Amino acid sequence: MEIRDFDVPRYLSVLPLFSDLCTAELEKVATGCELHRLARGDVIFRVGDPCEEFHVTVTGQIKLYVLSPNGQEKVIELIGPGGSFGEALMFTNKPYIINGQALTQTLLLTVKKSAVIDEVERDSRFAMRMLAGTSRRLHALVRDVEAYALQSGVQRVIGYLLRDRDEEDAPASDDITVTLPVSKATVASRLSLTPEYFSRVLHDLETAGLVVIDKRDVRIPDVRRLARYPDD
């Protein structure tokens, strides 16, 4: 898909960061955007590359990760449709400190730093929205650290499966299916677990009748029962 075939201003208008901009402002920001079609495995940036833009996943899935000295991969974040990344680092004038790679066929929108700076200088509210987004991501990372330190591996897996559910609002018996967006090994890395341990937890949950596994589909017959496990 060429950039001329994609309505960038309209797409930007539905993103929280740009939702308050008028049509003329959106069109101005759009002039600093580029659209990229990525194949599975394509590298977006590596540690040490200059960061002069931020990115928005239009479709597909992006993996942000680091490599240990022995080559072991640790997934920092998985960015799905509508998710953005690179905003904070873009303002530091420092190179990327993580790697970015497409996990599936992906449509990626890149927003150049110059377009963002122009809007920040024009409207301080835009800067506040960027700060709010960065703050939400920081809080999410803090919650991750707390989970790794205070929760067991089983609790982390259950939390991941129920991440989009409000358990208080769910019916007492709510049958849902969660589809893992990426491989089990990638999800395991995101949760700071080994792939073997992650698979074992899923197997144990299935044996307990709490989930039904079908490849990447995880059917949860009773949300609240799974959320209470292993306290029941």
Side-chain angles (χ1 to χ4, degrees):
M1 179 184 294
E2 299 295 334
I3 189 71
R4 64 177 177 270
D5 300 323
F6 185 80
D7 192 342
V8 175
R10 183 177 179 180
Y11 180 76
L12 292 175
S13 70
V14 303
L15 299 176
L17 179 60
F18 301 101
S19 60
D20 290 339
L21 300 186
C22 69
T23 301
E25 293 163 345
L26 290 168
E27 290 176 348
K28 184 177 180 180
V29 173
T31 62
C33 295
E34 295 179 354
L35 195 65
H36 304 275
R37 185 174 292 280
L38 306 174
R40 179 181 178 183
D42 281 355
V43 173
I44 306 165
F45 50 78
R46 292 185 174 88
V47 171
D49 288 346
C51 180
E52 294 295 332
E53 64 282 305
F54 77 93
H55 312 274
V56 181
T57 305
V58 180
T59 62
Q61 197 82 212
I62 299 297
K63 172 180 68 175
L64 305 181
Y65 68 99
V66 295
L67 294 174
S68 67
N70 64 3
Q72 185 175 2
E73 179 181 290
K74 171 64 179 80
V75 176
I76 303 299
E77 195 168 2
L78 298 171
I79 311 293
S84 61
F85 54 100
E87 302 97 318
L89 190 61
M90 180 180 66
F91 288 103
T92 67
N93 295 318
K94 294 182 179 180
Y96 285 105
I97 56 176
I98 55 177
N99 306 288
Q101 183 180 32
L103 288 175
T104 63
Q105 287 190 343
T106 297
L107 198 61
L108 188 72
L109 187 69
T110 295
V111 185
K112 295 297 183 181
K113 179 179 179 179
S114 57
V116 176
I117 293 297
D118 288 346
E119 191 55 37
V120 167
E121 292 176 344
R122 192 199 64 78
D123 186 354
S124 61
R125 293 172 301 175
F126 183 79
M128 293 300 295
R129 289 195 293 274
M130 292 206 76
L131 286 172
T134 301
S135 178
R136 284 192 296 270
R137 179 157 294 163
L138 176 61
H139 288 165
L141 292 173
V142 170
R143 287 196 299 270
D144 281 349
V145 172
E146 290 176 341
Y148 301 154
L150 302 176
Q151 293 184 349
S152 68
V154 173
Q155 289 172 323
R156 276 179 257 167
V157 172
I158 292 174
Y160 179 82
L161 294 175
L162 300 180
R163 65 194 183 282
D164 295 326
R165 298 291 296 179
D166 186 343
E167 198 247 332
E168 291 298 322
D169 294 336
S173 181
D174 195 5
D175 189 319
I176 66 171
T177 297
V178 176
T179 300
L180 302 181
V182 291
S183 69
K184 292 178 182 178
T186 301
V187 175
S189 179
R190 176 69 180 83
L191 298 176
S192 289
L193 304 172
T194 65
E196 295 78 13
Y197 183 81
F198 180 72
S199 293
R200 186 164 67 249
V201 170
L202 289 179
H203 174 75
D204 290 345
L205 292 176
E206 187 169 37
T207 300
L210 296 168
V211 300
V212 179
I213 310 295
D214 182 11
K215 297 180 181 178
R216 287 190 182 180
D217 290 337
V218 182
R219 178 172 163 261
I220 304 171
D222 189 324
V223 170
R224 289 194 174 184
R225 184 177 170 221
L226 178 62
R228 291 193 299 265
Y229 184 81
D231 296 331
D232 283 352

